[in-house]
């Protein structure tokens, strides 16, 4: 959702400090349409790590596309943060 509304401040706050980029480069020709959550592991109140598998649908200059990723998250000072992800091709 943060990518869809281009909320760079939120993305940077919720990204693990070890893997966070200095800035988020949004493609002005890209529009995110919908997000499908395909699966998840961990992420409960007693976990320190978790994963989310998703498929994000988008349009770039009118052409449809999708991003399929297995993302890893971890707790940082009690908050869930995005660590990294493996993109399926």
């Amino acid at each position: 959702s943060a990518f869809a509304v281009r909320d760079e401040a939120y993305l940077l706050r919720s990204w693990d400090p070890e893997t966070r980029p200095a800035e988020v480069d949004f493609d002005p020709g890209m529009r995110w349409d919908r997000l499908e959550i395909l699966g998840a592991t961990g992420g409960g109140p007693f976990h320190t790590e978790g994963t989310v598998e998703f498929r994000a649908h988008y349009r770039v200059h009118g052409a449809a596309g999708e991003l399929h990723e297995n993302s890893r998250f971890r707790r940082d000072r009690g908050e869930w943060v995005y660590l990294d992800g493996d993109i399926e091709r």
Side-chain angles (χ1 to χ4, degrees):
S1 297
F3 273 100
V5 298
R6 299 179 185 206
D7 189 347
E8 181 180 31
Y10 175 80
L11 287 166
L12 294 175
R13 264 193 329 274
S14 62
W15 207 308
D16 189 287
E18 294 179 16
T19 59
R20 175 177 49 222
E23 62 185 19
V24 179
D25 185 25
F26 296 106
D27 181 341
M30 180 178 272
R31 187 184 88 223
W32 295 97
D33 293 328
R34 114 184 119 94
L35 180 67
E36 292 177 78
I37 303 300
L38 304 174
T41 64
F46 301 108
H47 295 118
T48 58
E49 297 179 344
T51 66
V52 175
E53 180 183 4
F54 69 88
R55 187 173 292 124
H57 299 267
Y58 61 85
R59 292 195 169 278
V60 176
H61 306 291
E66 67 180 42
L67 170 71
H68 182 187
E69 182 174 318
N70 287 294
S71 298
R72 293 189 316 146
F73 294 83
R74 73 175 188 92
R75 285 196 193 266
D76 181 48
R77 295 182 291 264
E79 300 293 325
W80 286 105
V81 293
Y82 172 80
L83 181 61
D84 59 19
D86 292 320
I87 296 174
E88 302 288 325
R89 300 200 190 269

